[in-house]
């Protein structure tokens, strides 16, 4: 009986979560210019996004990478490495070319959006969450 109740509760929570995410209008961030700040501004990058391409520019080194974008739904997209970065070895190049990152936008405000991401390489994956800012600091 407890298992059935837990199963029903889980279904209700998933339905509510899906409903809440469907209320976010993520089309506002399908294109545009965004800013990423990490480790108390030690690492920053500017991201320029169209519907199909994302260009990431490291603010300190000016190193630039290009990623192909595939929108899975209104708030979820995947990126695949195309070119750029300072790649030193063939193994590193293979790593980037074979990796996919799936982003899910969780919260959207006038100033920023938060997302969860899953970095996938072969059978390995790593999940993380972070923030992209819609205006530079």
């Amino acid at each position: 009986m407890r298992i059935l109740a837990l199963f029903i509760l889980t279904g209700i929570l998933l339905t509510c979560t899906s409903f809440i995410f469907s209320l976010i209008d993520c089309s506002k961030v399908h294109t545009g210019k965004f800013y990423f700040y990490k480790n108390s501004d030690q690492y920053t990058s500017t991201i320029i996004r169209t519907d199909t391409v994302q260009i990431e520019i490291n603010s300190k080194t000016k190193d630039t990478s290009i990623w192909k974008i595939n929108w899975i739904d209104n708030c979820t997209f995947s990126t695949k490495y195309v070119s750029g970065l300072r790649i030193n070895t063939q193994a590193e190049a293979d790593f980037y070319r074979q990796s996919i990152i799936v982003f899910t936008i969780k919260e959207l405000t006038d100033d920023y959006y938060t997302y969860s991401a899953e970095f996938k390489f072969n059978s390995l994956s790593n999940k993380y969450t972070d923030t992209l800012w819609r205006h530079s600091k």
Side-chain angles (χ1 to χ4, degrees), residues 34-47 55-65 130-133 135-137:
F34 309 96
Y35 304 89
F36 179 76
Y37 301 96
K38 192 69 173 175
N39 298 331
S40 301
D41 300 335
Q42 290 177 9
Y43 173 83
T44 64
S45 62
T46 301
I47 297 169
I55 300 169
E56 298 182 12
I57 305 163
N58 182 308
S59 299
K60 290 186 180 181
T61 66
K62 304 302 180 204
D63 194 16
T64 301
S65 59
D130 221 318
T131 303
L132 278 185
W133 294 88
H135 313 284
S136 64
K137 288 186 177 181

Side-chain angles (χ1 to χ4, degrees), residues 48-56 65-71 77-83 96 99-103:
I48 302 166
R49 182 184 304 142
T50 69
D51 273 333
T52 59
V53 174
Q54 179 164 299
I55 300 169
E56 298 182 12
S65 59
I66 300 172
W67 303 78
K68 180 182 174 187
I69 292 179
N70 177 41
W71 284 94
F77 65 97
S78 64
T79 60
K80 182 129 179 80
Y81 173 79
V82 175
S83 65
Y96 278 105
S99 298
I100 294 175
I101 308 171
V102 177
F103 295 86

Side-chain angles (χ1 to χ4, degrees), residues 64-123:
T64 301
S65 59
I66 300 172
W67 303 78
K68 180 182 174 187
I69 292 179
N70 177 41
W71 284 94
I72 298 166
D73 62 37
N74 187 43
C75 293
T76 306
F77 65 97
S78 64
T79 60
K80 182 129 179 80
Y81 173 79
V82 175
S83 65
L85 300 175
R86 294 181 184 163
I87 296 175
N88 298 316
T89 66
Q90 186 60 45
E92 192 176 0
D94 292 343
F95 172 79
Y96 278 105
R97 286 191 181 93
Q98 295 173 20
S99 298
I100 294 175
I101 308 171
V102 177
F103 295 86
T104 302
I105 298 168
K106 300 293 188 180
E107 179 183 4
L108 177 61
T109 73
D110 290 340
D111 296 322
Y112 64 88
Y113 72 84
T114 60
Y115 62 88
S116 64
E118 183 174 10
F119 189 90
K120 299 177 183 181
F121 174 71
N122 292 333
S123 62

